Amino acid sequence: MTPPLNAAVVGAAITPVGVWPEETSFGLAARALTAALEDAGLDRSDLDGFVWNLGRPSGEDYEAMLIALGLRARFVNQFWTHGRFTGSSLLVAAMAVTAGLADYVVCVGGTKRQPAPPPVASFAAPALPGDPQAYGPGDPRRHGLTTFVHHAAMSFQAYLALYGVDRDRLADVALAAREHAMRNETAWRREPLTLEEYLASPEIVSPLRALDCFPFGASGSPMNDYGACVIVTRADLAKSLPGTPAYILGGQGVQGGREESAYFGRPGLGLFDQTTSTFEPGEWDRKVYEHAGVEPSDVDAFYTYDAFAPVVWMALERFGHCAPGDAASWVTKERIGPGGSFQVNTNGGMLSQGHTGGWGHIVELTQQLRGNAGPRQIENVGVAQWGTVFGDSVILSNDERRWQR
Amino acid sequence: MTTPAQRPAVDQFTEYLSAGEIRFQRCGSCGTLRGTLRAVCPVCLSREVTWVHAANAGTIVSYFIAHERFATALETPYTVLHVELDDGVRYTAGLTATSSGAPHVGGRVRLTVGKRDGESLPLFEW
């Protein structure tokens, strides 16, 4: 059988994540690019494809970035403001090399910390023309449902009520992320974290504590500074390069529509436009396994978007790693933390490495599969999955036979 | 293609609210009731709308309490409820200042025309 994607990741790197006032987006991307090319054993002139996330308005425009990095590309794709299009960026690169639109595509991710968004109720942020809610008196934004953290809290509260679980079980997600981050020198938050400190963390938007969220600091200044690069090429070209290729076995895109309307929540929470408050992984959630030719039980390490800790539970349920409603007891620090039997986000996740939209995770799973993860290296790791609460997934392996089927 | 000039839905909603009424959009073609103001019916894509009274009693599906400000000028703490009204429409709004005690999922609330800074707003109360 022909693999659906003739693609492998052959180089990956990320800068330290944090707040670096002296750095620009261009400088951070250049640092990551240099390191990723060295990892791959490639030269800048080899690259002919460019996938950029995030572009305008959250980041620089692709043209400025290409020129700043001295790159030329015959295939360019720019993703917009959402951090969640990380796996999709990787899939676009894989599709481009599979289709022969480019030979070596570099995916570049990066942000610079921005000022906190203007207060909605002051009308400083105009509605887009044609927005039927238009910040009117019935618009939820006027009632204080303005941003990501509110949606994450709303989804978490619905989940807690549906399954009757103890919210403090979420501690293990934050604690495991921190233990991983303590082994990762690119992570922003590396100081030890205890259960007592977690429980004492203030509820900023109840039921979410500050430590359930990525470290955004004062009142919602979004994101932080980082640059990341991931280089994708065809499998036959990958084999001629020095390192172990991380073959892209298969994937699926971000899912959309009314069942996805619990933002930062999974389907089946009974929120907003969702039609149901029950959940089982759907046909479209399981397709990635068919596409990649693996079973959920083949997955050795799991990487997931975790700007908020509850979505780690929900993503594990969505991809069938534990039953709906069971994540609270299934997810323990011992299981998902360093040395555990099912390690999650060994980079430290966004919760402790910092908000990288997931590029920190993609770089990390590549390094794991290539045997370059240093103190975090998982023994005998063969299959790694990126899978998020938004329904997208990419499965990679260092085993060429798995890729060949 | 010509289409009849349509008043922005938010203006119509606000006018009813100023008169002390909360009215919802009902699709003029397929009859779907919706809590979110929309220009087009997501079920049948019709632009026709009638403005109707809907159930004002409902059950809390979820909520949050903001203790820190994120992109809002509202004073904290404040509560936002997500409620399923008794005719099935889901609606999101704040809570009247007179409703005391903590919300809980499954709790019953009423949707009323409340005031904040002199402006009429749809707010929940219990």
Side-chain angles (χ1 to χ4, degrees):
Chain A
M1 177 186 161
T2 309
L5 295 167
N6 181 1
V9 180
V10 293
I14 188 166
T15 66
V17 182
V19 178
W20 317 116
E22 73 285 5
E23 287 278 9
T24 63
S25 305
F26 303 111
L28 290 162
R31 284 173 189 271
L33 178 65
T34 303
L37 286 168
E38 188 184 334
D39 182 34
L42 287 168
D43 186 78
R44 226 172 0 151
S45 61
D46 294 320
L47 304 175
D48 60 354
F50 186 81
V51 176
W52 173 224
N53 166 300
L54 312 165
R56 287 282 185 194
S58 293
E60 303 298 337
D61 200 58
Y62 77 92
E63 286 193 309
M65 187 56 80
L66 275 162
I67 290 166
L69 297 177
L71 294 174
R72 243 181 115 217
R74 61 189 176 106
F75 176 87
V76 171
N77 189 93
Q78 172 165 309
F79 281 85
W80 60 302
T81 60
H82 276 297
R84 68 188 60 163
F85 288 109
T86 315
S88 301
S89 297
L90 192 58
L91 285 176
V92 164
M95 290 188 279
V97 298
T98 301
L101 302 177
D103 292 329
Y104 297 95
V105 179
V106 59
C107 302
V108 185
T111 55
K112 277 294 290 179
R113 191 180 182 83
Q114 297 169 5
V120 169
S122 70
F123 298 102
L128 292 172
D131 176 352
Q133 296 271 47
Y135 294 102
D139 189 328
R141 292 170 289 193
R142 288 287 306 286
H143 293 256
L145 198 169
T146 54
T147 189
F148 39 60
V149 64
H150 302 130
H151 283 284
M154 194 73 101
S155 292
F156 184 35
Q157 183 67 259
Y159 180 97
L160 291 173
L162 277 173
Y163 297 105
V165 299
D166 173 7
R167 61 91 54 235
D168 286 344
R169 290 292 314 139
L170 198 59
D172 279 31
V173 175
L175 296 177
R178 184 59 59 89
E179 290 199 4
H180 286 304
M182 288 168 67
R183 292 159 172 78
N184 183 357
E185 60 188 19
T186 68
W188 191 8
R189 292 284 188 268
R190 276 174 289 169
E191 61 280 9
L193 177 65
T194 65
L195 177 61
E196 290 67 34
E197 286 167 327
Y198 172 85
L199 293 172
S201 171
E203 286 197 331
I204 52 172
V205 179
S206 163
L208 286 176
R209 295 192 169 105
L211 285 171
D212 295 319
C213 308
F214 72 96
F216 41 58
S219 291
S221 291
M223 310 297 276
N224 39 247
D225 304 344
Y226 78 98
C229 284
V230 173
I231 301 172
V232 177
T233 188
R234 289 198 314 273
D236 58 298
L237 294 172
K239 273 189 282 188
S240 65
L241 295 170
T244 305
Y247 295 96
I248 299 178
L249 302 183
Q252 64 187 26
V254 167
Q255 299 180 41
R258 64 187 300 178
E259 303 307 335
E260 308 293 336
S261 63
Y263 307 105
F264 301 98
R266 59 153 168 70
L269 295 173
L271 292 174
F272 302 101
D273 291 302
Q274 293 183 334
T275 58
T276 175
S277 50
T278 60
F279 180 75
E280 283 296 328
E283 187 193 346
W284 287 4
D285 298 325
R286 294 188 305 266
K287 273 209 179 290
V288 66
Y289 297 115
E290 190 186 316
H291 202 236
V294 302
E295 298 295 328
S297 58
D298 294 324
V299 174
D300 299 313
F302 188 72
Y303 293 85
T304 191
Y305 182 103
D306 61 339
F308 305 100
V311 300
V312 173
W313 283 0
M314 298 184 208
L316 287 164
E317 293 175 359
R318 186 158 194 171
F319 289 99
H321 294 299
C322 63
D326 281 355
S329 54
W330 193 86
V331 173
T332 61
K333 190 179 70 168
E334 290 67 32
R335 176 175 260 145
I336 69 166
S341 59
F342 192 84
Q343 295 188 44
V344 174
N345 293 351
T346 52
N347 55 319
M350 293 185 217
L351 290 170
S352 279
Q353 187 187 26
H355 199 315
T356 63
W359 288 109
H361 308 55
I362 302 290
V363 169
E364 171 74 6
L365 73 83
T366 301
Q367 290 174 340
Q368 288 282 354
L369 292 173
R370 286 161 69 79
N372 296 337
R376 305 178 307 283
Q377 186 64 48
I378 302 169
E379 266 182 62
N380 301 320
V381 62
V383 176
Q385 180 178 20
W386 163 258
T388 80
V389 72
F390 311 113
D392 65 309
S393 183
V394 186
I395 297 179
L396 300 93
S397 175
N398 49 19
D399 184 346
E400 191 188 358
R401 290 163 304 173
R402 280 198 183 275
W403 174 74
Q404 286 172 335
R405 310 292 159 92
Chain B
M1 178 178 131
T2 55
T3 52
Q6 285 198 336
R7 229 174 138 211
V10 67
D11 291 352
Q12 186 70 68
F13 180 82
T14 306
E15 190 176 302
Y16 283 123
L17 201 65
S18 305
E21 291 183 67
I22 296 171
R23 290 215 195 189
F24 289 89
Q25 291 180 312
R26 184 187 286 286
C27 175
S29 178
C30 74
T32 301
L33 188 64
R34 52 188 194 249
T36 301
L37 301 180
R38 296 188 193 281
V40 175
C41 174
V43 176
C44 73
L45 303 185
S46 167
R47 295 160 55 94
E48 301 300 316
V49 161
T50 57
W51 290 85
V52 300
H53 293 280
N56 67 355
T59 304
I60 299 175
V61 175
S62 192
Y63 65 92
F64 67 81
I65 304 170
H67 302 280
E68 263 192 46
R69 276 186 182 170
F70 295 96
T72 179
L74 297 179
E75 293 294 328
T76 55
Y78 67 84
T79 300
V80 176
L81 303 181
H82 187 62
V83 169
E84 184 160 311
L85 298 172
D86 288 347
D87 49 22
V89 170
R90 299 211 186 96
Y91 203 74
T92 307
L95 188 62
T96 59
T98 53
S99 306
S100 59
H104 65 276
V105 172
R108 296 286 291 169
V109 291
R110 287 178 309 280
L111 185 60
T112 67
V113 180
K115 290 269 184 194
R116 185 189 289 152
D117 301 332
E119 185 193 17
S120 296
L121 288 175
L123 291 173
F124 289 110
E125 66 173 13
W126 60 64

